[in-house]
Amino acid sequence: MIFRRHNISQEHIEIADGILENRLFVHPAWKPINIRKIDWEMDPYNDGTWCFYLHSLDLICYLVNSYELTGKIEYLTESKKIIKSWIKKNLKRTSNLSPYAWKDHSVANRVINFIHFYTHYEKMNIVDEKFDELLFLTLKEHGEYLVKDENHTFSNNHGIFQDRSLIALSVLFPSLPNSKMWYEKSIERFMLHVDKDMSKSGVHLEHSDAYHIIVFRLFSSIYEFLKFHEKEEKRLKDLLYKMQEFLAYVYKPDMRIPMNGDSGPDSIGFIEESSIYNELLLYVKTKGLKGKVPMLAKCYKDAGTAFIRNNWKIDSKQLYFRIFAAYHSKVHKHADDLSFVLSKGKTNFFIDSGKYNYKEKDSYRKYFRSSMAHNSITVNNETYPIHGSLINKSKIIQFIDNGNYVYIEAMHELFPNVSFNRKVLYLKEREAFIIYDDLKSNKIKRYSQIFNIGEDVSLNVLSKNRIILESKIDKNKIELIQVNRVPEFKKYFGSEEPIAGWQSAKFNQKEPIMQLRFSEKEKNVNYKTIINTELKKGIKKFNVTEKEGEITFKILYKDNSNQMIKL
């Protein structure tokens, strides 16, 4: 058993044939480029991520996968040629190399591709002692690079990829010098990552569901590899069970994840039913045919996120609400604290805007990471920085789920001299949400409450205090009400000045969406917002009082009945 960078696919044959015809393909996000010879210092798109994929040598994976599918020796021959070219240019770490030639993640990926190639190359019975010696020398150099702590990335998931590659080298090439030491070191560091990068509840702490999935798949592959080679780590299996439970709650009714942090709209399709051992995820995957029904409300307080649903029927009426309040590190972090997303059926009404790309100087990348691109609050038309000094300054304070309602309270102090507290009360029978935002400062500030609306939603603005949102998919309607007077209300749709009203579901691509901003200028401001997901039985207005630590909600429903909830 080996690791591979990409699962085998018929699509890889077209990619591999293009490589044979001198069309260099590194990743679907970029079009292939026509070349006669690979220049290992090239950067045709002025994009470091493209260079990273080039030096990962993923084109080897596409070629070898195509060899496995067709048996055509040309694919292995071209792989060998590319590997020799890379080694000739990059093995000796001189000063004129691309910075991505010997970079943490690209080194780790390249090892996996080298091993993938070698497992087939060694069976060809072609005697080329000079190349064999060169390849083993290269594997040794990569192992020596990966084992050194000064080359290891402890701050994010790249270190896990490095440890996986070192595990593979040490187990599959025991004849390499120091392979035993490599194995011990890689396992030791890997378990340190498990402790540091995961919450006790089994959530990956890089603020993005897409990276929870990436790390889950990474951990799963390591667990299966170790188990196959009779080196099983039981603690890892227990963690994978928890990670699968979290995924059961993550998926929206459309079976995709929200685009929080640096996530795209990934689907549940990557998980095979046979690989699921958590009964909650099995229920979601099989749409209720197997497994156990998850809870309707769930809070992962240590990870800083909570979920609310009205049912698990996975139909056009299923609600999905999720709030975010976590600042674990700078890694894949967006200024999305106290933001939320809300879907009904397959329609995403209030959305997260996505990542766009990883070019941190790009003005649109800055926007997509900013508080302006999330359903939260901005201060003075500015976002707060992504900075290490702000770690742990955002959190869920309280989560209550009883028979009639779900209550979530969260807070952060990420804007200078501003305290932001958001209370969410979900009334189960009414299928309605109350959002009470309390903002305090010692100076006058311009606060803006922002809502980003999904592309499949049309708006009917009845007034600046009442807006009807209607699904273009199934005609579901949601009502947004501002109880307090709104001094200023603005809409943006694909605006370039200021940048506002955009979503990015695909890498390096953006599409216009509607954004709503409710603004007010004071020292202290309260936003009293209602979201009725069933218009006829919803809330008309509410009031909140706080006295001696007790919070009281006084609610008037549309049928003129009243309710008081004390917390």
Side-chain angles (χ1 to χ4, degrees), residues 104-105 145-163 166 184-198 204-206 215 219 328-331:
D104 57 358
H105 201 179
Y145 174 93
L146 290 170
V147 79
K148 292 178 181 177
D149 284 344
E150 62 260 35
N151 298 326
H152 189 82
T153 303
F154 287 97
S155 60
N156 60 43
N157 62 71
H158 294 185
I160 305 171
F161 284 92
Q162 290 176 284
D163 288 329
L166 196 56
E184 292 171 353
K185 182 71 172 179
S186 58
I187 290 294
E188 176 189 348
R189 284 192 315 211
F190 171 63
M191 298 313 294
L192 287 175
H193 276 283
V194 169
D195 291 333
K196 180 183 72 68
D197 299 345
M198 303 298 302
H204 185 242
L205 299 177
E206 289 188 0
V215 171
F219 284 3
H328 306 297
S329 71
K330 297 185 295 180
V331 183

Side-chain angles (χ1 to χ4, degrees), residues 177-341:
N178 301 318
S179 62
K180 184 178 179 181
M181 182 270 285
W182 291 354
Y183 179 78
E184 292 171 353
K185 182 71 172 179
S186 58
I187 290 294
E188 176 189 348
R189 284 192 315 211
F190 171 63
M191 298 313 294
L192 287 175
H193 276 283
V194 169
D195 291 333
K196 180 183 72 68
D197 299 345
M198 303 298 302
S199 72
K200 296 293 184 184
S201 59
V203 181
H204 185 242
L205 299 177
E206 289 188 0
H207 313 100
S208 308
D209 293 339
Y211 281 89
H212 180 92
I213 291 172
I214 287 170
V215 171
F216 167 74
R217 298 177 77 170
L218 190 57
F219 284 3
S220 296
S221 68
I222 293 171
Y223 173 75
E224 294 298 334
F225 180 86
L226 292 173
K227 183 180 178 182
F228 181 87
H229 293 284
E230 300 181 345
K231 296 176 181 289
E232 182 176 359
E233 290 281 343
K234 183 180 182 301
R235 181 181 162 196
L236 190 53
K237 183 178 182 180
D238 295 338
L239 174 62
L240 291 170
Y241 181 86
K242 292 180 180 178
M243 293 181 78
Q244 285 196 348
E245 178 190 287
F246 179 68
L247 285 175
Y249 290 99
V250 161
Y251 284 102
K252 301 185 280 93
D254 63 1
M255 292 293 102
R256 294 187 179 275
I257 64 173
M259 295 195 296
N260 62 314
D262 285 336
S263 297
D266 299 346
S267 76
I268 198 172
F270 83 93
I271 306 176
E272 297 292 337
E273 184 180 328
S274 60
S275 66
I276 296 175
Y277 29 83
N278 181 283
E279 59 275 14
L280 305 186
L281 183 59
L282 184 62
Y283 182 93
V284 175
K285 174 68 176 179
T286 63
K287 298 183 178 181
L289 296 177
K290 299 178 183 178
K292 181 180 176 182
V293 184
M295 292 185 289
L296 292 176
K298 177 71 174 180
C299 180
Y300 289 87
K301 200 171 183 181
D302 58 355
T305 191
F307 304 84
I308 298 173
R309 278 181 170 83
N310 61 341
N311 68 61
W312 276 102
K313 295 178 183 177
I314 314 180
D315 59 14
S316 64
K317 295 295 183 180
Q318 187 192 99
L319 290 177
Y320 174 99
F321 174 92
R322 183 173 176 194
I323 190 169
F324 308 93
Y327 208 127
H328 306 297
S329 71
K330 297 185 295 180
V331 183
H332 297 295
K333 173 64 181 167
H334 287 208
D336 61 355
D337 296 271
L338 278 58
S339 178
F340 71 93
V341 293

Side-chain angles (χ1 to χ4, degrees), residues 4-180:
R4 65 170 75 217
R5 281 282 295 146
H6 302 285
N7 290 331
I8 198 164
S9 169
Q10 289 289 337
E11 295 176 358
H12 293 171
I13 295 175
E14 182 179 351
I15 294 170
D17 288 342
I19 294 170
L20 293 179
E21 295 169 1
N22 297 322
R23 293 195 301 274
L24 179 60
F25 177 97
V26 301
H27 189 275
W30 299 273
K31 293 180 179 179
I33 60 172
N34 295 315
I35 57 166
R36 295 184 64 183
K37 181 181 178 183
I38 298 177
D39 175 0
W40 295 104
E41 295 178 64
M42 71 169 68
D43 185 1
Y45 290 97
N46 190 28
D47 193 321
T49 308
W50 186 93
C51 299
F52 153 68
Y53 282 113
L54 174 67
H55 284 274
S56 292
L57 292 188
D58 278 3
L59 62 169
I60 299 298
C61 179
Y62 300 130
L63 287 164
V64 178
N65 279 351
S66 298
Y67 169 76
E68 292 179 38
L69 288 167
T70 67
K72 291 182 180 180
I73 200 69
E74 298 97 313
Y75 297 131
L76 285 186
T77 303
E78 183 68 15
S79 298
K80 181 180 175 182
K81 176 183 170 183
I82 292 169
I83 290 170
K84 287 175 71 174
S85 171
W86 187 93
I87 293 172
K88 182 179 179 180
K89 171 64 178 178
N90 298 289
L91 188 58
K92 293 182 179 179
R93 282 171 255 173
T94 56
S95 59
N96 63 335
L97 300 182
S98 164
Y100 295 90
W102 290 93
K103 196 170 177 61
D104 57 358
H105 201 179
S106 54
V107 172
N109 289 346
R110 194 163 57 241
V111 166
I112 299 303
N113 287 318
F114 282 156
I115 293 173
H116 187 193
F117 163 78
Y118 184 76
T119 57
H120 294 284
Y121 169 77
E122 69 172 341
K123 300 172 185 175
M124 290 172 59
N125 297 319
I126 298 175
V127 178
D128 189 342
E129 293 181 0
K130 190 173 181 180
F131 175 74
D132 292 351
E133 184 178 334
L134 184 62
L135 182 58
F136 271 76
L137 173 63
T138 302
L139 292 174
K140 176 180 175 295
E141 287 296 313
H142 280 65
E144 294 298 338
Y145 174 93
L146 290 170
V147 79
K148 292 178 181 177
D149 284 344
E150 62 260 35
N151 298 326
H152 189 82
T153 303
F154 287 97
S155 60
N156 60 43
N157 62 71
H158 294 185
I160 305 171
F161 284 92
Q162 290 176 284
D163 288 329
R164 179 181 73 163
S165 296
L166 196 56
I167 288 170
L169 273 178
S170 62
V171 171
L172 298 173
F173 297 89
S175 62
L176 288 173
N178 301 318
S179 62
K180 184 178 179 181

